[in-house]
Amino acid sequence: MPYIHHSTCPVCSSAAIQFCTRVQDHAISKEWFDLWSCQHCQTLFIQDVPDETEIATYYHADNYISHTDTRKGILFKAYHIARWFTLHWKYQTIQKAIHTYVPDLDLHEKTVHPRVLDMGCGTGSFLHMMQMHGWQTEGIEPSETARNVAKKKYQLNLHPPAQLEHFPDQHFHLITLWHVLEHIHALHENLSVMYRLLHEQGLLFIAVPNYTSTDERFFGNYWAAYDVPRHIYHFAPQSMQTLLAAHQFDILKIIPMRMDAFYIAWLSAKYARQRLPFAYGMITGFISCLASYRYPMRASSLLYIVHKS
């Protein structure tokens, strides 16, 4: 199987990288993968990760919810309930950010047709919501299975990644990556494309798991958001700052995504074979959520609101 071996950090190109730990793919393959760390920018990354032609095999499972939208089992039913609340939170956060950071961009004017691009949009629930609020939507999704579900469920015509090169410059007022950046092999190439496609007054939203979170400290290598090898990279605020600055993006605000802690902690407790995984997950999720009010940068996931420098 083709693997990618890094002699320097894939984010900042520093040679100061070293082995950190081994993590198991608890969800699908049960294989083990090595995580290495960069001493310069604090990025964690999989060393010898399967390349882009082979990684798809690690997404092929009936219980990979982002691609199948399954509701089988209590875990995935709970996921759908949490997603309903999260979708509304996302929309309110977007509206507030546009009002705060780009007030001159009046998306309610008849001459402006607000356009959003969702990268890695899965089965299209976020784009469906944005469409209902009057946005023109485009979505990029590598999985044909997920694209078919979106077509059937929401009548959305999603695109494979090759479509990116056909969009005009500065075409989108909003580009979103909801827990997607950590999956992308070609980090720098994709961020360069995002810069080209983003309107000069547009906003880029990037949500990623935070490996410096309180819930990671509870579970260590069982932390579900490591999700190797599908999550190729693991970011801290410092590594995100380094990566975005390299592509002429400025971070306007970092927002804790506190609710993520409950689902991640529950799944982590299951992987760790806790006797009562739901109860243990809810308790540790609550502790992580509570801790993030005092230490916001220790939230389970972080949302970075970004614009062009």
Side-chain angles (χ1 to χ4, degrees):
M1 179 181 291
Y3 295 98
I4 299 172
H5 186 86
H6 297 281
S7 57
T8 61
C9 173
V11 167
C12 71
S13 299
S14 170
I17 59 173
Q18 62 185 29
F19 172 80
C20 180
T21 188
R22 298 195 82 206
V23 179
Q24 188 176 21
D25 174 10
H26 299 281
I28 296 178
S29 72
K30 310 306 178 186
E31 295 176 33
W32 290 82
F33 295 88
D34 290 347
L35 287 185
W36 282 45
S37 63
C38 175
Q39 304 307 296
H40 181 257
C41 73
Q42 308 307 311
T43 301
L44 298 184
F45 59 93
I46 299 177
Q47 185 66 282
D48 298 319
V49 66
D51 71 9
E52 291 180 271
T53 63
E54 298 295 333
I55 197 72
T57 61
Y58 293 91
Y59 289 86
H60 291 166
D62 291 340
N63 63 352
Y64 193 70
I65 192 168
S66 295
H67 289 176
T68 65
D69 220 28
T70 180
R71 292 178 182 266
K72 296 178 181 178
I74 188 172
L75 185 65
F76 298 117
K77 289 177 182 177
Y79 173 90
H80 280 277
I81 294 171
R83 187 174 70 178
W84 185 88
F85 286 102
T86 302
L87 284 173
H88 289 275
W89 176 85
K90 286 176 180 178
Y91 181 72
Q92 294 300 323
T93 303
I94 288 166
Q95 290 293 95
K96 184 177 180 180
I98 289 173
H99 178 75
T100 301
Y101 299 114
V102 284
D104 294 336
L105 185 62
D106 188 351
L107 299 181
H108 297 289
E109 288 185 1
K110 292 183 179 179
T111 56
V112 176
H113 303 286
R115 292 183 293 268
V116 57
L117 171 66
D118 190 26
M119 293 287 294
C121 51
T123 56
S125 58
F126 170 73
L127 286 179
H128 175 65
M129 179 197 66
M130 294 297 284
Q131 201 172 60
M132 292 192 337
H133 285 284
W135 285 71
Q136 296 183 15
T137 62
E138 298 284 0
I140 298 295
E141 174 51 54
S143 167
E144 184 178 4
T145 299
R147 296 198 302 269
N148 290 336
V149 171
K151 177 68 175 177
K152 181 178 179 180
K153 189 171 184 179
Y154 300 120
Q155 293 73 56
L156 291 170
N157 293 310
L158 307 182
H159 309 288
Q163 174 63 28
L164 284 172
E165 65 184 73
H166 300 296
F167 291 128
D169 292 357
Q170 299 193 39
H171 187 62
F172 296 101
H173 302 97
L174 175 67
I175 299 177
T176 56
L177 295 90
W178 302 107
H179 290 286
V180 168
L181 191 68
E182 63 270 22
H183 293 263
I184 297 175
H185 280 81
L187 273 179
H188 295 285
E189 292 84 348
N190 275 270
L191 282 170
S192 294
V193 172
M194 297 304 100
Y195 188 92
R196 178 181 70 81
L197 296 179
L198 188 64
H199 190 278
E200 61 182 5
Q201 290 184 297
L203 294 176
L204 174 64
F205 276 47
I206 301 177
V208 288
N210 174 26
Y211 80 84
T212 64
S213 65
T214 300
D215 41 292
E216 193 281 342
R217 296 184 183 189
F218 271 109
F219 293 104
N221 290 5
Y222 290 107
W223 188 53
Y226 279 129
D227 198 25
V228 295
R230 291 159 295 280
H231 290 187
I232 303 168
Y233 313 99
H234 307 279
F235 301 101
Q238 181 180 337
S239 48
M240 284 297 295
Q241 172 67 46
T242 301
L243 177 62
L244 292 168
H247 293 274
Q248 302 179 67
F249 286 116
D250 288 334
I251 298 173
L252 295 169
K253 190 173 184 178
I254 305 175
I255 300 177
M257 300 181 73
R258 297 184 172 94
M259 293 300 294
D260 283 14
F262 291 96
Y263 178 74
I264 291 298
W266 182 6
L267 199 53
S268 302
K270 181 182 176 182
Y271 292 161
R273 301 182 182 276
Q274 291 291 332
R275 181 172 296 181
L276 298 172
F278 177 79
Y280 191 86
M282 291 303 100
I283 292 170
T284 52
F286 177 76
I287 293 171
S288 178
C289 180
L290 193 64
S292 70
Y293 283 94
R294 184 171 183 181
Y295 305 105
M297 296 302 100
R298 293 186 190 172
S300 187
S301 300
L302 296 171
L303 170 62
Y304 298 81
I305 300 177
V306 177
H307 74 162
K308 291 181 175 181
S309 301

